[in-house]
């Protein structure tokens, strides 16, 4: 079983590295630096405005620490066929999961350390906490989280119950209480509760080794969802095969397709328009990026940063539309249609022009809101238009060609 | 409509699955493509519909190849794949509209055909459904409707009988018969030998990527030295045993 785990972990990590390498290309690094820069700029500005502890300071710290503790669960790396092929090995799976749990403690530890580190500036300034208290709470939280991973393990066995209450709920309540007590009164509470919780759950999960019965369906579904979330994240930056997204009818938007006449030339526009609107993945991406862009533009007071945000986000949305074209091109039936590749690309460009124009108009409104009708606004907006034209008429047609066959 | 496959050699990547296949499908003929799993039936079909490019040989429909005139060639073919392939974002009604647009068909006339077929397969009240709500058999019926409502002259069906309920199999056979009467040709690959034996005019037996034999049932019996009362199953088993 341990061999199986190690083998899977190796394959999983290899996969992750492959995607990470794809993600950390020039585009992303550029976007990432700008984003981090903008956020850092905003954070230090914010800290500069705080001169004495705020009333809401501690509640904010508690909330953020609570959320940070929710990050990361057990990566079981289970696969759907396991429930058929490895059913006979069920008893031995405990050791497999034990190894999985150890491996899975890495992400939460790093997350909690990082969040606490970044939050410490605000915690000392805005919430009036002592640095030592912050460190103590951080260590307590990490111990607590290590205990909490046992809850994930017990859920796989369908045993995460505390009386009639779900263990997850009880744990989170305990966490909130511990956080409140340790931020307001006595910071060592977090470590004490964390240790008690950790030892209690470790003892609890030991019993699974002899008497546990796996909830296969739940375990596999949870792992699939976890994988899906990771892949969907990667999919924001690069093409990930096998990411199927949810589809909604959205009948109330049917009016949008009215202008598309039912003629041969419009075959692909007909298809692309409906697909884009109904596939949560693509419309979701467009909406998220457009809203984030608009908010950033409406808040940031710096001409150069706004200029970069305007250009970068329009490019990003255009860039992220490519996988949708690829997805449709992978449908076998459409390859049989008596329609040329040129028409397919032309139809897709029509759709992307409409989408990027909407984004451009929204961003222009945000810019006018922040900079007024000034020469600066005009420069930013024209730069956005230039990116829009570049993406639709130079970048896209070349890039899409390689997906045709 | 005539389909000619001449000395077809091809396959995926570097491996040649098909080796010099030759057979024809004449106007008004229903031809059964028969062979073991992995014999090369689906690969043959993929070459005919133009998803794979032949490494050698020729495929002609009414004398033209895919290379001569892509659009003309493709308009002559309607294809029902083994596994249904639908657009997850389109409703059944939109699949029909899209097919009409793609093949530049007459909207009203085609819908008339489609409605008849939809009724036959009891899909007429599911026009606003998404593919994810259909069972496998229903998806297959959608594929059949979208193929048979067109004015193609060659219908290629890959494994049509598996997954369909007996009633639908019967309905499909009636539709095939209708198309045959209208002068169209049908090429179908299948393992359901008893059904195809009664409904096909001719059989092409494929083994290891080659045409082992083709002809009517009587011709095949003669070629394999079989008794008068033997059926397609017997011939099939005899062909498979030749490898041993």
């Amino acid at each position: 079983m341990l061999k199986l785990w190690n083998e899977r972990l190796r394959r999983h990590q290899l996969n992750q590295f492959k995607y990470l390498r794809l993600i950390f290309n020039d585009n992303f690094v550029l976007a990432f630096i700008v984003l981090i820069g903008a956020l850092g700029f905003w954070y230090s500005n914010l800290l500069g405005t705080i001169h004495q502890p705020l009333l809401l300071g501690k509640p904010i710290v508690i909330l953020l620490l609570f959320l940070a503790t929710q990050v990361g669960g057990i990566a079981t790396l289970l696969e759907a066929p396991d429930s058929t092929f490895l059913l006979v090995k069920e008893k031995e799976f405990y050791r497999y999961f034990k190894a999985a749990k150890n491996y899975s403690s890495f992400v939460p530890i790093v997350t909690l350390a990082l969040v606490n580190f970044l939050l410490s500036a605000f915690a000392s300034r805005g919430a009036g906490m002592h640095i030592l208290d912050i460190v103590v709470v951080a260590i307590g939280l990490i111990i607590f989280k290590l205990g909490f991973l046992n809850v994930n393990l017990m859920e796989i066995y369908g045993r995460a119950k505390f009386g009639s209450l779900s263990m997850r709920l009880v744990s989170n309540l305990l966490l909130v209480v511990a956080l409140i007590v340790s931020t307001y009164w006595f910071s060592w509470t977090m470590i004490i509760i964390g240790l008690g919780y950790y030892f209690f759950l470790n003892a609890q999960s030991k019993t699974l080794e002899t008497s546990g019965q796996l909830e296969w369906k739940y375990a596999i579904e949870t792992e699939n969802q976890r994988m899906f979330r990771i892949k969907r994240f990667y999919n924001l930056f690069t093409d990930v095969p096998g990411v199927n997204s949810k589809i909604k009818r959205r009948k109330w938007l049917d009016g949008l397709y009215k202008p598309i006449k039912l003629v041969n030339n419009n075959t692909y526009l007909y298809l692309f328009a409906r697909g884009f609107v109904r596939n949560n993945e693509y419309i979701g991406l467009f909406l998220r990026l457009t809203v984030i862009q608009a908010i950033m533009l409406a808040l940031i007071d710096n001409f150069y940063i706004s200029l970069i945000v305007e250009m970068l986000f329009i490019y990003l949305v255009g860039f992220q539309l490519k996988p949708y074209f690829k997805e449709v091109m992978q449908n076998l039936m459409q390859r049989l249609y008596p329609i040329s590749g040129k028409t397919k690309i032309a139809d897709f460009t029509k759709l992307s022009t409409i989408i990027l124009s909407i984004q451009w108009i929204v961003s222009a409104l945000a810019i006018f809101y922040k900079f007024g009708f000034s020469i600066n606004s005009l420069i930013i907006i024209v730069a956005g238009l230039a990116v829009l034209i570049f993406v639709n008429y130079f970048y896209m047609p070349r890039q899409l060609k390689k997906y045709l066959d | 409509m005539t389909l000619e496959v001449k000395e077809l050699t091809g396959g995926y990547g570097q491996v040649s699955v098909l080796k010099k296949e030759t057979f024809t499908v004449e106007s008004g003929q229903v031809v059964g493509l028969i062979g073991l799993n992995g014999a090369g039936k689906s690969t043959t079909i993929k070459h005919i519909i133009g998803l794979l490019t032949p490494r050698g040989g020729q495929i002609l429909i009414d004398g033209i190849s895919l290379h001569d005139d892509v659009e003309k060639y493709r308009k002559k073919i309607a294809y029902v794949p083994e596994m249904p392939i639908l657009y997850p974002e389109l409703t059944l009604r939109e699949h029909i509209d899209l097919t009409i647009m793609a093949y530049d068909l007459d909207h009203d006339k085609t819908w008339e055909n489609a409605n008849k077929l939809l009724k036959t397969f009891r899909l007429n009240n599911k026009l606003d459904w998404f593919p994810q709500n259909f069972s496998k058999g229903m998806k297959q019926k959608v594929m059949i409707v979208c193929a048979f409502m067109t004015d193609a002259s060659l219908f290629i069906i890959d494994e049509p009988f598996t997954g369909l309920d007996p009633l639908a199999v019967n309905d499909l056979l009636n539709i095939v018969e209708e198309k045959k009467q209208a002068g169209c040709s049908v090429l179908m690959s299948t393992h359901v030998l008893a059904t195809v034996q009664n409904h096909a005019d001719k059989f092409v037996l494929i083994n290891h990527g080659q045409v082992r034999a083709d002809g009517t049932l009587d011709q095949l019996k003669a070629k394999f030295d079989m008794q008068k009362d033997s059926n397609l199953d017997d011939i099939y088993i005899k062909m498979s045993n030749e490898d041993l």
Side-chain angles (χ1 to χ4, degrees):
Chain A
M1 272 299 136
L2 277 181
K3 220 172 122 200
L4 177 74
W5 165 257
N6 287 329
E7 171 57 30
R8 285 210 176 150
L9 182 61
R10 202 183 54 79
R11 206 170 40 184
H12 174 69
Q13 284 174 331
L14 229 60
N15 254 325
Q16 304 289 308
F17 281 131
K18 197 182 80 194
Y19 286 128
L20 286 176
R21 216 179 47 224
L22 287 171
I23 289 176
F24 281 96
N25 56 21
D26 308 345
N27 291 324
F28 177 74
V29 171
L30 191 71
F32 196 65
I33 291 171
V34 169
L35 211 69
I36 295 284
L39 281 174
F41 188 68
W42 173 79
Y43 188 49
S44 73
N45 269 354
L46 185 83
L47 286 177
T49 61
I50 300 170
H51 300 295
Q52 61 194 39
L54 305 167
L55 190 64
L56 276 175
K58 281 181 179 169
I60 289 174
V61 169
I62 290 169
L63 180 71
L64 289 176
L65 289 181
F66 175 76
L67 290 178
T69 316
Q70 306 300 315
V71 173
I74 286 194
T76 57
L77 304 185
L78 283 182
E79 291 166 16
D82 291 350
S83 63
T84 314
F85 288 98
L86 298 178
L87 206 53
V88 284
K89 294 265 180 210
E90 183 162 332
K91 276 272 173 267
E92 293 169 39
F93 255 99
Y94 180 77
R95 285 183 39 191
Y96 174 99
F97 288 132
K98 218 48 194 180
K101 197 182 79 181
N102 287 339
Y103 165 72
S104 308
S105 55
F106 177 71
V107 171
I109 290 176
V110 171
T111 311
L112 282 170
L114 198 68
V115 168
N116 271 290
F117 173 70
L118 292 175
L119 201 62
S120 60
F122 176 79
S124 72
R125 241 192 147 124
M129 285 173 70
H130 205 273
I131 288 297
L132 182 70
D133 290 337
I134 297 167
V135 174
V136 166
V137 169
I139 293 169
L141 275 176
I142 289 173
I143 296 170
F144 186 90
K145 180 68 190 183
L146 292 180
F148 188 79
L149 286 176
N150 285 306
V151 175
N152 293 135
L153 183 61
M154 289 161 86
E155 277 171 345
I156 295 173
Y157 282 93
R159 290 262 295 270
K161 284 270 188 277
F162 195 78
S164 61
L165 292 169
S166 107
M167 193 86 95
R168 191 177 274 258
L169 181 74
V170 175
S171 303
N172 279 329
L173 283 176
L174 183 68
L175 175 64
V176 172
V177 172
L179 271 172
I180 292 173
V181 174
S182 45
T183 43
Y184 277 95
W185 295 286
F186 183 52
S187 58
W188 289 83
T189 315
M190 193 65 236
I191 286 195
I192 295 161
I193 290 187
L195 279 172
Y197 180 78
Y198 176 80
F199 286 120
F200 171 71
L201 277 174
N202 255 355
Q204 284 278 306
S205 72
K206 275 252 160 47
T207 62
L208 296 173
E209 185 170 11
T210 45
S211 65
Q213 196 179 3
L214 267 175
E215 296 278 326
W216 284 100
K217 192 164 160 342
Y218 171 83
I220 286 168
E221 270 170 15
T222 317
E223 179 61 12
N224 280 343
Q225 277 164 14
R226 199 187 67 85
M227 277 296 184
F228 179 69
R229 281 197 301 271
I230 296 178
K231 283 186 177 166
R232 199 174 52 191
F233 175 72
Y234 290 158
N235 210 32
L236 291 176
F237 309 101
T238 181
D239 301 342
V240 180
V243 175
N244 302 317
S245 34
K246 285 216 174 77
I247 291 167
K248 289 240 169 70
R249 175 74 175 87
R250 302 192 219 283
K251 205 177 174 126
W252 53 283
L253 288 174
D254 276 5
L256 290 178
Y257 324 123
K258 274 271 162 58
I260 304 171
K261 289 217 174 63
L262 301 185
V263 291
N264 181 250
N265 260 339
N266 282 342
T267 307
Y268 280 81
L269 187 59
Y270 180 97
L271 176 62
F272 289 142
R274 284 169 169 75
F276 175 76
V277 171
R278 293 173 185 170
N279 190 319
N280 275 359
E281 179 164 352
Y282 300 105
I283 191 135
L285 195 89
F286 161 70
L287 289 177
R288 274 197 301 276
L289 285 176
T290 306
V291 169
I292 292 173
Q293 181 192 29
I295 291 174
M296 283 174 83
L297 288 173
L299 291 178
I300 295 169
D301 212 353
N302 185 305
F303 169 73
Y304 292 103
I305 294 181
S306 293
L307 182 69
I308 292 173
V309 166
E310 166 77 358
M311 293 171 72
L312 188 72
F313 274 71
I314 290 182
Y315 170 74
L316 277 180
V317 170
F319 180 79
Q320 309 298 354
L321 283 175
K322 281 193 311 179
Y324 176 49
F325 185 75
K326 186 182 168 194
E327 191 182 311
V328 175
M329 287 306 114
Q330 278 165 348
N331 182 309
L332 211 71
M333 291 313 280
Q334 64 84 22
R335 284 169 63 187
L336 305 178
Y337 293 163
I339 292 174
S340 70
K342 231 167 135 186
T343 318
K344 295 178 192 178
I345 292 179
D347 276 9
F348 193 76
T349 315
K350 274 183 210 160
L351 176 78
S352 69
T353 307
I354 296 168
I355 292 167
L356 294 189
S357 299
I358 295 172
Q359 187 194 6
W360 179 67
I361 292 169
V362 172
S363 67
L365 292 176
I367 291 161
F368 281 134
Y369 165 79
K370 189 72 200 178
F371 290 94
F373 291 93
S374 63
I375 191 82
N376 277 357
S377 307
L378 216 64
I379 293 172
I380 296 173
I381 289 166
V382 170
L385 184 64
V387 174
L388 188 154
I389 291 169
F390 167 76
V391 167
N392 277 320
Y393 299 101
F394 295 94
Y395 179 74
M396 281 287 209
R398 269 158 239 249
Q399 292 282 313
L400 297 184
K401 243 187 212 147
K402 63 179 183 208
Y403 296 134
L404 280 177
D405 290 307
Chain B
M1 203 304 311
T2 340
L3 165 71
E4 294 168 89
V5 177
K6 293 181 191 166
E7 307 240 302
L8 172 64
T9 302
Y12 308 87
Q14 291 304 308
V15 192
S16 278
V17 179
L18 308 178
K19 291 153 212 140
K20 300 208 168 185
E21 271 187 8
T22 302
F23 64 89
T24 56
V25 180
E26 309 281 345
S27 260
Q29 233 179 17
V30 176
V31 174
L33 198 58
I34 290 159
L36 295 172
N37 292 330
K41 301 184 300 290
S42 290
T43 314
T44 306
I45 287 176
K46 287 206 174 96
H47 276 96
I48 298 171
I49 60 178
L51 285 180
L52 293 174
T53 316
R55 209 162 293 142
Q58 254 190 329
I59 302 168
L60 300 174
I61 298 183
D62 290 336
I64 63 163
S65 72
L66 182 69
H67 198 68
D68 297 334
D69 188 338
V70 181
E71 298 191 6
K72 209 168 156 192
Y73 183 93
R74 292 212 156 132
K75 275 191 183 178
K76 286 177 188 288
I77 302 178
Y79 168 58
V80 181
E82 184 179 359
M83 294 295 279
I85 305 167
L86 295 162
Y87 300 98
E89 299 101 349
L90 295 190
T91 63
L92 171 53
R93 184 197 310 279
E94 288 164 348
H95 275 89
I96 292 171
D97 271 334
L98 187 78
T99 312
I100 291 174
M101 289 161 85
Y103 288 89
D104 213 359
L105 304 167
D106 182 282
H107 183 269
D108 298 338
K109 212 185 94 204
T110 314
W111 260 108
E112 213 175 287
N113 290 340
N115 278 327
K116 255 188 271 171
L117 291 165
L118 289 168
K119 210 161 175 196
T120 309
F121 289 114
R122 283 159 291 272
L123 289 170
N124 49 337
N125 54 353
K126 300 181 177 65
L127 278 166
D128 287 313
W129 285 28
F130 273 138
Q132 61 195 19
N133 303 323
F134 286 125
S135 70
K136 197 220 160 204
M138 280 154 111
K139 284 183 193 165
Q140 216 169 338
K141 290 173 182 175
V142 175
M143 300 304 297
I144 293 171
V145 171
C146 284
F148 281 90
M149 69 182 197
T150 65
D151 51 18
S153 46
L154 171 62
F155 293 85
I156 297 180
I157 337 176
D158 203 352
E159 281 297 345
F161 304 122
T162 39
L164 287 181
D165 58 71
L167 209 57
V169 169
N170 194 43
D171 290 332
L172 175 62
L173 289 169
N174 288 337
I175 293 164
V176 166
E177 184 62 29
E178 236 171 76
K179 285 288 177 191
K180 181 185 158 181
Q181 295 304 329
C184 300
S185 320
V186 180
L187 176 67
M188 55 173 137
S189 87
T190 184
H191 290 297
V192 187
L193 301 179
T195 313
V196 78
Q197 179 179 329
N198 295 329
H199 293 88
D201 306 301
K202 196 181 131 179
F203 309 90
V204 177
L205 267 58
I206 294 188
N207 204 10
H208 299 307
Q210 286 172 312
V211 176
R212 170 64 183 82
D214 67 335
T216 62
L217 190 59
D218 289 331
Q219 286 168 340
L220 289 180
K221 279 179 204 165
K223 274 183 195 163
F224 282 90
D225 290 323
M226 306 285 280
Q227 286 161 348
K228 269 255 152 48
D229 60 346
S230 54
N231 58 24
L232 205 50
D233 269 299
D234 303 326
I235 297 173
Y236 187 86
I237 289 165
K238 180 145 191 195
M239 175 179 82
S240 315
N241 285 341
E242 284 173 353
D243 298 340
L244 300 175

